[in-house]
Structures are given as C-alpha cells and as structure tokens.
Amino acid sequence: MDWYMMNCELLATCSALGYLEGDVYHREPDCLESVKDLIRYLRHEDETRDVRQQLGAAQILQNDLLPILVQYPQDKVLFDAVIRLMVNLTQPALLCFGKVPSDAASRHYFLQVLSYLQAYKEAFASEKVFVVLSEKLYNLLQLDWEQRQEEDTLLIERILLLVRNVLHVPPDPTEEQQGVDGDASVHDRVLWALHISGMDDLLKFLASAQVEQQWALHVLEIISLMFRDQSPEELAALGQGTAGAEHGEDTRELETLRQRELAEKRARALQRPSRHSRFGGSYVLQGLKSIGDRDVVFHKGLHNLKSYTHDLGKEPRRVPRHRQAAPESEPSRRSARNVRLFLRHFCQDFLEGCYNRLMLLVKDQLVREKAQQHDETYYLWATAFFMAFNRCRGFRPELVSETVGVRAFHFIEQNLTTYYEMALMDKKEATTWARRMHLALKAYQELLRTVQEMDRSPEQAVRDSSQVIKSNIFYLMEYRELFLALFRKFDETKQPRSFLRDLVETAHLFLRMLERFCRGRANLVVQSKRVRRKKKPRAPVVPAPPSAAELEQLWEGLAPQLQACLEGEVPLPADVVPFDAASETPVEEQRAEALQRIQECLRDSRVPQALRLLRSARDVWPEGDVFGAADVGPPEETRLLREILVAPLPRHAPEEPEEEEEEDEEEEEQTVQVSEKEFNFLDYLKRFACAPVVRALVLLLRGYAQNSPRTNHCAARLLHRLARDLRMEPLLFQLSLFALFHRLLSDPAAAAHQELVALAKFILGKFFALAATNKKAFVELLFWKSPAIVCEMTKGYSSLQEGEGTTRSRVSPWTPQEEQELQELYWKYKEVEGGDIIAAILAHLPTPGRTRRQVVKQLVRMGLASSAKDFQQERKGTRIVLWTQEQEEELTRLFEEFQGSDDVLGNIMKHLTARRSRARVVEKLLGLGLVAERKELFKKRRRKGHGPGPGQAAASVPAVPAQDSSGEDEDSEEEEEEDEDEAEKGPMEEHWVPEEGAGQDLAQHLHQQGLAGPLRWLETCLRRAAGDREEDGVSHPVPLVPLTEENEDAMEDRRFRTLLRQLGLRPPASEQESFWRIPAALTPQQLRRAAASIARHGRDPSGSPQDPPKPPGCPQDPAPAEPLPAGLGSDSESEEPVPVPIPVPSPVQPRTKRRRELASEDEDEDGGSSGTEPAPAAPCSEEDEEDEDPQPRGRRKRIRCLEEEEEEEEG
C-alpha cells in the first residue's frame, strides 16, 4: 500500500505527530491528540483492517512512535498514549482476524498485516527501545502498593503486553531460509536487546516476588516466547566440553552423509562398464508386460534396470488437501551462540529461584479458572521445557518439585484427554486441538523421564518417592489406557509426524518402566473398571383394542371383584382425584378423560380404583347424570361400569413408568463398577497388537533416515515386543512394511541402522518359513492383521470354526449330525402358524446349551434364512393385556405354592405360562389382594460365607465376593445390588421398632472403615431427638440433615444406610423428601438404646480404646513394618510434608465424581513378607540396563461401585 493512497484524515493525523531530523525527533504541539486520534481510528477499522494496513505501509511505528518513546519518556501522558497505540498495532494478526481466512482476498489482507508485524519486530531489535521500557518498568515496580495508582498498574500490564506482542511475531520464512544455523536472526536480536537492557532480570523478579502474583501468566507467556526456537537438550549441553564435543552431533550427521555419498559412488562405479559406449543397447524384460501383450522393451543400460518402474514419465497424482499430511509446527533452527549462552544462564537462574513458585501460582489460577481460555498450554510447555533442562543439566529434583507428583500427572492426563476428545468432536479445529495435544504429550513424556531419573538417584529418599509415584500411576487404569487411545485415533492429516514420534517414544518409555516395575513383584494389583450401559427406552406402543368376546370374558372375571367392592369387603382407595388441577384443560372439559381413566382401570383389573373414580366423578360432574344419579344404587353402578368397559372410547399411547421395568430390569441406571485385579504385563502388551499401532509404527519408520537414533530404537523395540515377546510375527507380515525393509536393506548407509536391519532380517526369515507351509501368506501381505488372523495363519484357517482358536471357550462347533437335525427341525416347525420357530427348535434340539443367537446364526450360515431379521423375537409383555380367569387361578396357585420361598416373584415368573412383565404380575397380585404391598415380593437376601446365625443375619455385614470369582458370582452380586436398591426404594413402616442392640456389629465395622465421625454425628442426633421428645412430650419426624461433606458422603454409603434401617430410621418416602428421618413412633428410650448401640463400638472387649483408623494405602505401598516418610501411600486428598527432597503428592483419582462404596472390606494377606530393601541404583549409561524394584509389603483389596446418576425426563 502506497503512502499517497492513505485516507486524508489519517494522513493529516500522522503528519501532526512530528518529524525526524537526523537522530532527533521534533514533536508537534498536537502530538498527544494525534496519538489519541490514531487509537480512535484503530477502534473503528473495518474487517479488512484498513487503518492498520495504512499505518503499517506508512511505517508510523518505525519513524514516529519509537523515536517519541525513546526521546520523550519523561512525558508520562504521552508515554502512556504511545504505549497504548503500539500495543494495539503489534497485536497478533490471528487475534485481529479471529482465524486464518480461507478466501483469497481476506487471506491477502492477513498476510499483509503479518508482513507489517515482521517489520515492527525488526524495528524493536534496538537496545535503546528496551532500555527505556526496562527503566520505566523498574521505576513502576519500585513503588509500594500504597503508592501505586491504577494508571501505574495498567502501564505495567501494557509494557508486558507490548513485549509479548513483539516476541509473538512469527519469523519471515524467506529470511530463515537465507540464513544458516548460528546466525543472528531478528528474534535473536530482539532477545539480545532484551538481555542488554536488563528486562530478563525484571522478568525473574516478577516471577519470584510475593507481591507481584498477578503477573504470573504474563511472565510465563513471555518466557515461552523467548525459548520458542530453543531445544532444552542443546541448551543444557552448551558449554559442558570442548568445541569438538559441542559439535559432536553435527559431526556425526556429516559423517553419515559422507558415508552415504561414498557408498553411492562405489555402487555407480561398479555398475559403469570399463569402456564407455555411446549406445546403451535395447533389452527385452521377459515376464514384465507392457501396455499390450508383449514384453517391455528397455532402451537404457543395464545399470539403470533397478530403477525402472511403469510410473516413469507419468505426472504424479495430486493428493487432495484433506488427505495431505499435517505440516510440522515450526522448523528447528539454532540461534547465535551468545544468545544461547544468555538463555542457558536464564534457565539456571529461573529454575533455582522462580520455577516452583511461578508454576504454583499459574496452576492455582488455572484451577480456579482465573486465566483466559487455553492458557494451560503455557503451563504444559514450561513443564516439558524446564524439566528437560533440569534433567540434562545435573538432575536436581528439588528444583522441579512443584511439577513432580501424582497431581501433576493427573492434571496433564486430564488436559490430554480433553484435547483428544475435542479433536474427535470439533472436526474443523482438529489441527489446533492436535497441537495442544502435542504439548500435553511432551509434558507427560518429560514427567515419565523425570521419574525414571529419580530411580537412578543415589539418595534413598528420592528413589522411595519415585516408587510411590509409580505405584499410583500404574495402579490407575486411565494412565494405562491413554497410549492405546492415542494410537488408535492417530490421524496423519491432523497430527504432524513429530506428534507420532513423541507418542512412540513416550509409549516405549512407559512400557519399559511398567515392565521393570512388574518384574520385582509377584502379584501386582491394579484398578479395573467395567461400564454397564443403559439401554434406550423404547417408544410406547398403543395396544390393539380388545374384541367384544375378550371384553365379555374380562367382565366375567371382574364381576366377583366388583361385587366384593360394592358390599364393602374390599376397601376403596381414598386418594383418587378424577381431574388434574394443574392441567391447562378446564375441569369441566376433563370429563372425557375421566371416562378413559375409568375404562383403563377396568381393563387393567383395578376394580377398586375404577369404582372410586366413578363415585368421585359423579360428585364433580353431577349434571346430566353421565356418571349416574346422586342416589344411584349398586345395580346401576354395575351397569354403568359395564357400559364404560365396552364403550369405544379414544385411546392414547400409555405413559406407563413400568415400561422401563420391562427391559429385563437393565434400564434402571448406568453404573461403573471399579474393582481390583492382578496385573499381567503380557496381557496388557497384547492390547497393542492391533492394526492401528502397527500402521503408526510403519508410518514413523518410513522416515528412518531423518529420524533420530532414539526414535528408530523406540519404534523397533515396540515392533520387537509385538513380534518376539508375544510370538505374533505374522502381525508384521504387511506389504508396506516389507517395502520399507527392501528400501532399508538396499540403502548404502544401512550400517547406521543396525537395529532396524536385524529386525528386518528376523521378520523376513519368519515370513518365508511360514510361506513354505502356508501358500496364502503372500495374499495376507495385502491386509493389516489382528491377533485372530495371526492365529489362523499359524494354526490353520479352520481353527476359529473348529474351536482351536480364540473362540474355543465360548462357542462349540456344529457337527454335521447336529446340522442335519437342525435342518429337519426347521422344516418341521416352519409351517406352524402363530408360533416361535426358534423357541420350538431350542425345545427339541438334542444338544443342550445352544442359545437363540447361535441357532439363528447357524440357520443363516446354512442358507435356510436370508438374515436374522426373519426370526424377530416377540417382545415380552406387550401383546397380552387382559387376564383370563384361568390365568388368575394359575397366578393364585403359584403364589400359594411359592409364598414361603426366598424369591416369590422370581419363582412365579419362571413357572407362569403366559409371559408377562414383572410390573404386570406385581400389579395383578396387588389387585387380587394376595399381597398388601410390594416389598412382600422382594427377594430375601442371605449372607454368603460363614457368619453369625440366622438371628444375627440382619445385623451382619454382607460379604464381598473374591476378586477371582467366576461370572456367576458377579451376576449374583449384581442381583443382590438390584434387590438392595429395590428394598431402599420400597416403603418402610412407621411403627417398626428396632430390636435391642440392633446395628452394633455393623457400627463397629463402619468405625473400622473410617466412619467414626459420621457415627458420632448420628449418635448426637439420636440423643438430641430423645431429649427433645422428653421435654416437649410430642413426637414429630426429625430429618437427618448432613451439614459437612464427611457426613454427606456417609449418607450415600450403602452400609451406613443399612445401619440406619437397622436402627429404625426411615428413608425419604417420596420425591418431595430429600433426607432420612427419625420416625415419630420411636420413643426416647428406644432412641437412647440405638445411640448406645452405636457408642459401644468405641472400645474393644478388653475395655481399651481402639486406635484411630488409618487411611487406606495404595496396593503397592510398603507395609508399616518399617518406618517410612510421612504421607507415603496416603489415599487422602491432602498432601503431608515428607522429609524428601521433593514433595510426594498423594494419589488422586483422574476424575472427581460422587462415589458410593459397596461392601468395602479389607483382606489382610496371611504371612505378608516385608520384602528386601532395594539396593542403591548406580547411574546407568545404557537406557535398557535392567534394575530391580523392591517387593511390595502389603496389599488391600477393595471393590467400589461408582454410580453415575442421570435424571431422564419421561415423556
């Protein structure tokens, strides 16, 4: 943009600023007003940023603003205005436009603004500018808080923002390509000016000062931009040896390139004949067809034959933009040596005096959501950079203690998971989320490396702290499943190759640390989770109207009940209202709805409700005698009910809550069952044996020549684990990997990749050995394979069907005789109308144990049916609506037969001829008067294992099934949990009186579990209620309101609620109640006996007070047989100070949810050995050197049930 194309008003304003004469700037009288006008113009610019472009083209900042800033710093008002204007002019282009524009015109404006910003950055590479800014900032920081005004605080913030904006400007690609490593770029010159002016010392002061906490995020952002192009490993290695040692890596790279060039020269020399011929000749390549049917004719020399392909001369196929590989974020570049030396000293000073404090402040602001969105990326970068510098520069764990621990692992894992989920959901911004995910992954990798370095520390306390951290990390399932999820969702179009490189290196490090941790332990216990998902409720089905014959048959069954109700033998309900007062429909217009409700009650065999509705409706709508006259008698009421029953009233879709109960009682709630199991490293490694992991490793190894030796080692080691350790060599039989091996073995510089060459020879040897027996192995090269396919390739392709593979324990094969019998049964029952073919076949199938799904699948496989949809199973409880007299008699007979059993309703459902839902059967039993309330039909629970007698079963604690129990035990446990939930939801009688000493054993057990505080609160509430009832002489239900978090958690504990029931307390009776209540029927004496039974748990039988309960430890923590530092193995949320050079935080769950503990018992293992003390680990030079971990001293097994309660609206 030309100067003469500027807006006239903008040009006049810029001319009124002043003029530069030599090195002296002369300002005009209206200079201050002109600066304010420019700020006003920038505030009202359009979407093309025209004002910003015109000011950039006129070089106002270089020619006017910077000279004013340097020469008139004493004019405070003018200085403030110029700083404001420069902060606005230097703000990032991405912030001006919101995002990188996609259309050509807007993108041109974006690039134009970016070019002006790069010119501004070059102008700021001046010591004079930063000296003025540093002196001004120093003077402002010298003011106390009492003397510092609001304008001073704003000026400090604007100076920091100006420095941030200047450092944020990206480099010019043309300038970076022209320069070489070691030259001073614009960014280096800005950093050097910042260093000469002393601004870096002010930044360190702001990071460490107690009174300057509000600038923590600003300082961290500036520091991250200062080290944008730097590598922590190179900075740490700077100045540690001679010049030759410093450039050792460069020398090795040059030597590799030189060897490659010499090998290519030797190969060309061998291929070139001794006498040059002008004519190379023509050759026919037999077996290689050309476009036609003839062989290819080759017109070049034989030495070029290896490079011949059919693609010679063709245009390369253009890759669509959405399928192109993601570009790397920033190319690496080495700064000037003096700049790197200054940055190295800055890192050392920052780690020693500022790092822990600054990271604590930033973490606090992030957790409290005081920062802006995505500011946690600066925290992740600082964690990765400075911990890597500390690790490479004489590892001192006390310098990075703030970011070492379980809490740091949890914070980074939480952000990494959030970025991963957002990258899957937000497809348009997937690349941005992938960059943030890369930052979190590098921070996670550096945490693992720091913990690994702690294992090699000569101090025993540091090694013990490392063991505690690893125990907590390897125990939780979220940390173990993280890398599998990242591998499976890796997308090379969204995530760059550098992300895959860090992912492979981090996964290799995690697997190696986990393998060593498991090697020294016989039985490692880890956490496992299982999610039971809720099925979606099906849409309500409008039942077909019954025929006249069915209605007549139904009336015959209802007549005796109606006669009993009219004679007063069966009481009528009293809380039946024929209209809805909250409905928008007027009461006078709800008459038709009342008729429909009476008809529904009659058709559902609810005669008492129907009769009460009829009489109530007669009182509400007496006009017209629609519901009978006022003095109507029993015969007329009988006639009215019969007419209503057979009347063709309009029917609506039933909104019955019991529809959800018809889904096999699996739709009640979604639960996450958390348990503990023994960990097997090979079983965990088998989860990496999948196509996405192998595909990602092959993709990374395609650039083996550009990869670092460590990257190639990690990728090769992972492939070796899958092939050799798991004995799944066919998993790597893939054509793309073999093409990579061919390129590697024919590479002249293959001697530098001996590990990859050995792996290639090993895999190729295994393939040709298998191809000698399995001719289909060559075809299998075209496909990625799974463990099941690997089993078929090695054991035979019929192994999975014949029961020799992975499905042997689940599905038994079908023999030819069984297939013949199945075919005969199918043709026999196919023509039977109105029957279920599969049910008839299962009933007459000679082989027991077959399921419906197996039979349907076999019929489809044999070609007798087209698909499984031909055998749709009829839904239970939807067709049968009416109860016949024979069915009622059968139900009555079954109830009398199983009335004394433990599961009355379950036995009735098993022997009932007509299949109905549990809700329908319960309603019919209530309608027939066989039971008074629903809780009489609940399944009676019995205590497992050895325990007290039958009289003490109610007060005993239900046992928890062992961890290695079978699937039947788990199913029975789930049934008992469902029965407990139903029992809690059922009503509780007000007049129920607890027995003397009830709940004493359970209270003692809860006290041992750490619930002493809630028990004391419950005892106080009971005694207070007893005293109030004695003073007042009146008894009212008293709610138990937990006011502390500890008491609230106890009220959600299943065992604590069981204790409340044993003491006679009442749960919430309806949705309007939220708290448990002390019933009014309990006398003060009974309340005091209940409180006394709770208080007895405080002393053991000998009378000595019990020790306070200790918090549960981690499964891998050492037992308290030997003195340990305080806080190790603590399961609480608080962190205790430990006499260790670094603080060891306690384990934290990766997601904070409301927890309910189910049957949590501690099982002390007999004869627990204390183990041996670990020998001091010597420093290891090789990364694969083996070291042994100490044996665990004790474990505790728990089973918890985390219930995630979701409220769903019922339509």
Side-chain angles (χ1 to χ4, degrees):
M1 181 176 292
D2 195 1
W3 170 269
Y4 300 101
M5 296 179 61
M6 289 183 63
N7 182 276
C8 58
E9 296 182 1
L10 194 61
L11 180 59
T13 305
C14 294
S15 301
L17 289 174
Y19 60 93
L20 185 64
E21 184 178 2
D23 294 335
V24 180
Y25 188 87
H26 303 277
R27 61 176 178 175
E28 297 289 346
D30 298 334
C31 180
L32 178 60
E33 286 73 13
S34 299
V35 172
K36 293 181 179 180
D37 289 340
L38 290 178
I39 296 174
R40 191 178 304 109
Y41 289 148
L42 285 172
R43 191 180 304 145
H44 299 288
E45 62 182 351
D46 58 5
E47 64 275 1
T48 63
R49 310 303 174 194
D50 55 342
V51 178
R52 195 175 303 271
Q53 292 189 55
Q54 295 180 42
L55 294 179
Q59 299 183 358
I60 296 299
L61 187 139
Q62 297 94 317
N63 298 331
D64 294 277
L65 298 182
L66 286 181
I68 292 174
L69 184 74
V70 173
Q71 298 186 20
Y72 301 98
Q74 67 278 2
D75 192 343
K76 183 177 181 181
V77 180
L78 181 61
F79 187 89
D80 293 350
V82 171
I83 290 292
R84 285 180 57 194
L85 180 57
M86 287 197 298
V87 168
N88 198 338
L89 283 176
T90 57
Q91 68 179 359
L94 199 61
L95 190 61
C96 296
F97 289 86
K99 62 178 181 179
V100 179
S102 56
D103 58 301
S106 301
R107 192 175 183 86
H108 170 72
Y109 297 140
F110 177 84
L111 295 177
Q112 196 71 27
V113 172
L114 188 60
S115 64
Y116 295 143
L117 289 175
Q118 292 168 353
Y120 295 161
K121 185 173 184 178
E122 188 172 2
F124 267 94
S126 171
E127 299 178 9
K128 297 179 180 180
V129 176
F130 275 98
V131 166
V132 172
L133 294 177
S134 301
E135 291 178 354
K136 195 70 175 180
L137 183 60
Y138 176 78
N139 296 330
L140 292 173
L141 294 178
Q142 290 296 319
L143 299 176
D144 296 333
W145 279 101
E146 296 80 5
Q147 302 174 356
R148 190 178 298 179
Q149 303 296 326
E150 184 178 359
E151 293 80 5
D152 300 332
T153 305
L154 288 176
L155 185 56
I156 294 175
E157 184 177 7
R158 286 167 183 159
I159 292 176
L160 294 177
L161 288 177
L162 180 60
V163 176
R164 190 276 312 265
N165 291 346
V166 172
L167 293 174
H168 188 274
V169 176
D172 188 0
T174 58
E175 179 196 0
E176 297 294 336
Q177 291 176 1
Q178 293 175 0
V180 296
D181 284 350
D183 288 349
S185 61
V186 176
H187 190 75
D188 294 341
R189 286 187 278 137
V190 172
L191 290 179
W192 187 251
L194 184 144
H195 170 58
I196 295 299
S197 64
M199 180 69 74
D200 55 341
D201 296 330
L202 294 177
L203 292 176
K204 288 184 285 186
F205 170 75
L206 290 174
S208 59
Q210 177 72 23
V211 295
E212 307 294 345
Q213 299 182 5
Q214 56 179 331
W215 314 118
L217 272 170
H218 292 78
V219 173
L220 186 61
E221 188 175 0
I222 292 174
I223 292 175
S224 67
L225 294 173
M226 288 172 57
F227 292 90
R228 181 174 56 189
D229 300 332
Q230 308 301 324
S231 170
E233 290 81 5
E234 293 181 359
L235 287 181
L238 189 65
Q240 288 187 352
T242 61
E246 293 179 5
H247 299 285
E249 185 176 354
D250 297 340
T251 305
R252 285 192 296 270
E253 292 180 1
L254 291 175
E255 184 65 27
T256 302
L257 294 176
R258 182 172 175 274
Q259 291 179 3
R260 185 189 300 273
E261 184 180 1
L262 292 176
E264 291 177 354
K265 286 183 179 180
R266 286 195 299 267
R268 287 196 300 269
L270 293 175
Q271 293 174 358
R272 187 180 301 113
S274 59
R275 185 178 68 88
H276 173 71
S277 174
R278 188 177 299 274
F279 305 97
S282 299
Y283 304 91
V284 177
L285 304 182
Q286 294 183 357
L288 187 61
K289 299 296 181 182
S290 60
I291 299 177
D293 296 335
R294 299 181 179 181
D295 293 336
V296 173
V297 179
F298 189 65
H299 297 282
K300 295 184 178 181
L302 293 178
H303 60 278
N304 297 321
L305 183 60
K306 292 184 178 181
S307 61
Y308 174 78
T309 62
H310 286 300
D311 297 330
L312 290 177
K314 297 180 181 179
E315 293 184 1
R317 192 174 181 181
R318 184 179 179 183
V319 181
R321 180 177 299 178
H322 68 278
R323 297 185 59 184
Q324 293 179 359
E328 296 294 335
S329 57
E330 291 180 1
S332 59
R333 185 185 178 281
R334 184 177 300 173
S335 301
R337 180 177 175 79
N338 56 347
V339 175
R340 285 184 288 145
L341 287 172
F342 138 65
L343 293 177
R344 188 199 66 182
H345 291 298
F346 182 89
C347 283
Q348 293 177 349
D349 298 341
F350 182 78
L351 278 174
E352 293 177 358
C354 312
Y355 178 79
N356 287 330
R357 174 170 180 78
L358 182 64
M359 298 299 281
L360 177 63
L361 294 175
V362 173
K363 177 74 171 297
D364 182 70
Q365 294 185 19
L366 293 175
V367 172
R368 298 177 181 272
E369 297 182 355
K370 295 181 179 180
Q372 296 182 359
Q373 195 175 14
H374 307 311
D375 275 351
E376 70 276 359
T377 54
Y378 301 110
Y379 179 87
L380 298 174
W381 173 88
T383 301
F385 188 90
F386 289 105
M387 291 183 70
F389 182 86
N390 178 65
R391 176 175 53 84
C392 300
R393 185 78 179 181
F395 179 68
R396 295 171 59 186
E398 66 274 7
L399 298 182
V400 292
S401 59
E402 178 57 36
T403 53
V404 175
V406 182
R407 292 185 183 274
F409 273 99
H410 169 60
F411 180 78
I412 295 175
E413 186 271 339
Q414 198 174 28
N415 283 279
L416 184 58
T417 305
T418 302
Y419 299 152
Y420 163 76
E421 294 173 351
M422 290 302 299
L424 297 180
M425 292 187 294
D426 191 1
K427 299 294 184 181
K428 294 183 179 180
E429 299 295 333
T431 306
T432 305
W433 291 109
R435 287 198 295 265
R436 298 182 183 127
M437 197 192 317
H438 193 188
L439 283 175
L441 180 63
K442 289 195 289 188
Y444 192 87
Q445 177 187 13
E446 198 51 50
L447 277 178
L448 289 176
R449 290 187 176 182
T450 301
V451 173
Q452 182 190 29
E453 198 70 26
M454 291 169 61
D455 287 337
R456 303 170 181 172
S457 175
E459 301 181 11
Q460 181 64 33
V462 176
R463 296 198 301 270
D464 292 342
S465 302
S466 170
Q467 294 298 322
V468 174
I469 294 175
K470 290 192 296 184
S471 298
N472 289 274
I473 298 306
F474 297 147
Y475 173 74
L476 295 178
M477 189 183 70
E478 286 78 8
Y479 298 105
R480 302 193 305 271
E481 300 295 325
L482 180 62
F483 300 104
L484 287 168
L486 294 179
F487 268 120
R488 288 170 179 169
K489 295 300 180 180
F490 175 75
D491 186 2
E492 59 178 331
T493 62
K494 304 295 188 301
Q495 297 161 320
R497 188 71 60 87
S498 57
F499 176 85
L500 180 59
R501 179 194 64 219
D502 290 329
L503 175 60
V504 171
E505 293 180 2
T506 311
H508 166 72
L509 178 61
F510 185 83
L511 287 174
R512 189 155 55 88
M513 293 175 63
L514 182 57
E515 183 182 18
R516 292 181 177 179
F517 190 79
C518 297
R519 188 173 300 160
R521 289 159 174 78
N523 297 313
L524 178 64
V525 179
V526 297
Q527 187 186 78
S528 176
K529 290 185 179 181
R530 188 182 63 176
V531 180
R532 293 190 298 175
R533 303 187 181 276
K534 180 188 297 184
K535 297 181 180 178
K536 296 182 178 180
R538 300 180 183 177
V541 181
V542 180
S547 61
E550 292 177 344
L551 290 175
E552 187 64 28
Q553 188 179 6
L554 176 62
W555 176 254
E556 294 177 359
L558 297 178
Q561 301 181 36
L562 180 58
Q563 187 66 25
C565 293
L566 292 173
E567 294 177 358
E569 298 179 1
V570 177
L572 301 182
D575 54 348
V576 178
V577 181
F579 63 90
D580 187 4
S583 176
E584 297 180 357
T585 307
V587 178
E588 299 299 331
E589 299 179 8
Q590 296 187 25
R591 186 182 306 172
E593 297 180 2
L595 286 172
Q596 293 177 5
R597 292 178 59 189
I598 296 174
Q599 189 183 66
E600 291 176 359
C601 291
L602 290 174
R603 293 186 179 183
D604 293 342
S605 302
R606 294 179 290 169
V607 178
Q609 288 84 350
L611 184 57
R612 172 58 69 185
L613 271 175
L614 178 66
R615 294 177 178 178
S616 301
R618 185 187 307 141
D619 297 337
V620 176
W621 298 287
E623 61 277 359
D625 294 341
V626 178
F627 299 97
D631 54 350
V632 67
E636 288 78 5
E637 289 182 335
T638 304
R639 179 183 56 81
L640 282 173
L641 289 175
R642 180 184 177 87
E643 292 177 356
I644 294 174
L645 175 64
V646 299
L649 300 178
R651 300 291 297 242
H652 301 283
E655 299 179 359
E656 300 177 355
E658 57 266 14
E659 281 294 325
E660 297 182 0
E661 300 180 9
E662 294 179 3
E663 302 292 333
D664 299 332
E665 298 184 356
E666 294 179 358
E667 297 188 5
E668 294 181 357
E669 55 191 3
Q670 178 180 0
T671 59
V672 180
Q673 184 176 354
V674 181
S675 58
E676 292 180 343
K677 66 177 183 181
E678 291 188 3
F679 181 76
N680 190 330
F681 179 75
L682 289 181
D683 291 342
Y684 174 69
L685 188 61
K686 287 178 183 177
R687 306 197 57 189
F688 287 84
C690 57
V693 176
V694 180
R695 189 184 298 114
L697 294 174
V698 173
L699 178 63
L700 181 62
L701 286 178
R702 286 178 184 173
Y704 69 91
Q706 291 79 29
N707 295 339
S708 64
R710 172 176 173 76
T711 301
N712 289 333
H713 165 74
C714 295
R717 189 70 181 91
L718 280 175
L719 291 175
H720 184 269
R721 286 182 185 273
L722 299 179
R724 186 64 181 271
D725 297 353
L726 298 181
R727 301 185 182 277
M728 290 187 182
E729 295 88 356
L731 193 68
L732 306 184
F733 295 169
Q734 220 283 329
L735 195 58
S736 59
L737 182 60
F738 280 19
L740 173 63
F741 288 161
H742 174 70
R743 183 161 60 93
L744 172 67
L745 296 176
S746 60
D747 190 356
H753 312 286
Q754 289 296 331
E755 194 172 10
L756 292 178
V757 172
L759 177 65
K761 293 181 179 179
F762 171 74
I763 296 299
L764 291 175
K766 291 292 182 179
F767 170 74
F768 290 115
L770 179 64
T773 57
N774 184 3
K775 299 300 181 182
K776 298 179 181 179
F778 295 96
V779 182
E780 294 285 359
L781 288 175
L782 302 175
F783 308 99
W784 299 99
K785 285 160 279 294
S786 64
I789 298 177
V790 169
C791 181
E792 284 188 332
M793 290 179 63
T794 54
K795 298 183 179 180
Y797 287 96
S798 61
S799 59
L800 295 181
Q801 285 79 14
E802 297 177 358
E804 299 178 1
T806 57
T807 59
R808 176 177 53 186
S809 59
R810 292 178 293 178
V811 181
S812 57
W814 289 80
T815 62
Q817 182 180 0
E818 291 177 348
E819 292 181 353
Q820 182 67 23
E821 294 173 351
L822 178 62
Q823 185 176 3
E824 294 176 357
L825 290 174
Y826 173 74
W827 291 113
K828 178 180 179 181
Y829 294 102
K830 181 181 180 182
E831 305 299 333
V832 179
E833 297 182 359
D836 190 356
I837 303 176
I838 306 301
I841 292 176
L842 289 174
H844 297 84
L845 203 62
T847 305
R850 294 293 181 186
T851 63
R852 182 183 182 91
R853 177 176 295 182
Q854 294 175 8
V855 173
V856 172
K857 187 175 182 180
Q858 186 64 22
L859 288 174
V860 174
R861 183 180 299 171
M862 294 172 61
L864 299 177
S866 58
S867 66
K869 296 181 179 180
D870 298 342
F871 308 101
Q872 292 289 346
Q873 188 175 9
E874 187 174 321
R875 188 180 174 187
K876 299 180 181 180
T878 57
R879 292 290 183 86
I880 304 176
V881 179
L882 307 177
W883 287 80
T884 62
Q885 186 175 0
E886 291 79 5
Q887 293 172 354
E888 291 180 355
E889 293 176 356
E890 180 189 12
L891 181 62
T892 305
R893 178 179 56 80
L894 292 175
F895 176 76
E896 294 175 353
E897 180 180 353
F898 299 108
Q899 187 174 5
S901 62
D902 293 340
D903 189 5
V904 182
L905 186 58
N907 293 326
I908 292 177
M909 295 296 296
K910 291 179 182 179
H911 297 82
L912 201 61
T913 304
R915 295 185 177 181
R916 297 178 183 270
S917 65
R918 299 171 69 94
R920 300 289 186 186
V921 175
V922 171
E923 288 181 358
K924 193 61 180 177
L925 290 173
L926 292 172
L928 294 176
L930 298 177
V931 292
E933 50 188 6
R934 295 175 182 265
K935 75 173 187 177
E936 298 181 13
L937 300 175
F938 291 156
K939 183 178 178 181
K940 301 178 179 61
R941 299 185 59 204
R942 291 185 176 180
R943 190 177 189 274
K944 298 182 181 180
H946 302 283
Q952 302 175 358
S956 62
V957 181
V960 180
Q963 185 60 36
D964 54 352
S965 60
S966 62
E968 298 179 358
D969 296 336
E970 296 179 359
D971 296 339
S972 62
E973 180 185 354
E974 293 175 3
E975 292 178 0
E976 291 179 1
E977 293 177 11
E978 294 175 358
D979 296 336
E980 277 193 12
D981 295 338
E982 293 178 356
E984 289 182 2
K985 295 177 182 177
M988 183 174 182
E989 299 179 2
E990 286 284 345
H991 59 274
W992 184 80
V993 178
E995 299 178 359
E996 184 174 358
Q1000 182 174 355
D1001 297 338
L1002 184 55
Q1004 182 178 358
H1005 183 79
L1006 292 175
H1007 183 273
Q1008 296 175 358
Q1009 293 296 321
L1011 296 179
L1015 288 175
R1016 288 194 296 270
W1017 166 71
L1018 178 59
E1019 176 189 354
T1020 304
C1021 292
L1022 293 176
R1023 295 188 184 277
R1024 187 179 302 166
D1028 294 342
R1029 293 182 180 182
E1030 284 184 349
E1031 294 178 2
D1032 301 340
V1034 182
S1035 298
H1036 298 286
V1038 179
L1040 293 177
V1041 183
L1043 300 179
T1044 63
E1045 184 178 357
E1046 181 182 13
N1047 296 339
E1048 184 178 356
D1049 294 341
M1051 294 299 292
E1052 295 179 358
D1053 190 276
R1054 188 183 301 274
R1055 292 177 173 239
F1056 195 82
R1057 295 199 303 267
T1058 304
L1059 174 64
L1060 297 180
R1061 284 184 174 275
Q1062 293 181 7
L1063 297 178
L1065 306 189
R1066 181 174 64 83
S1070 61
E1071 296 180 356
Q1072 284 75 19
E1073 295 184 1
S1074 302
F1075 305 106
W1076 284 67
R1077 281 168 166 75
I1078 302 175
L1082 295 181
T1083 62
Q1085 293 78 13
Q1086 293 171 349
L1087 292 176
R1088 286 194 174 90
R1089 284 201 301 267
S1093 63
I1094 300 175
R1096 290 172 187 169
H1097 71 273
R1099 294 180 174 84
D1100 56 7
S1102 62
S1104 60
Q1106 296 179 347
D1107 295 332
K1110 298 181 180 179
C1114 198
Q1116 288 82 28
D1117 291 347
E1122 298 180 5
L1124 294 175
L1128 295 184
S1130 175
D1131 199 23
S1132 61
E1133 293 291 336
S1134 61
E1135 296 186 7
E1136 298 292 335
V1138 295
V1140 182
I1142 62 171
V1144 182
S1146 59
V1148 179
Q1149 296 293 339
R1151 294 179 180 85
T1152 56
K1153 298 180 180 177
R1154 304 188 66 178
R1155 297 185 292 272
R1156 296 186 178 184
E1157 294 190 3
L1158 167 64
S1160 176
E1161 288 187 313
D1162 297 338
E1163 299 177 3
D1164 298 332
E1165 296 182 356
D1166 297 335
S1169 61
S1170 60
T1172 59
E1173 287 294 329
C1180 301
S1181 59
E1182 298 293 332
E1183 66 173 355
D1184 289 333
E1185 186 174 350
E1186 307 296 336
D1187 57 346
E1188 298 295 333
D1189 290 331
Q1191 294 281 350
R1193 300 181 176 88
R1195 299 181 178 87
R1196 307 177 62 185
K1197 299 183 179 179
R1198 301 191 298 266
I1199 296 180
R1200 297 187 298 272
C1201 184
L1202 304 178
E1203 302 179 355
E1204 302 176 358
E1205 302 181 355
E1206 300 178 356
E1207 299 180 358
E1208 299 181 358
E1209 299 180 1
E1210 298 181 359

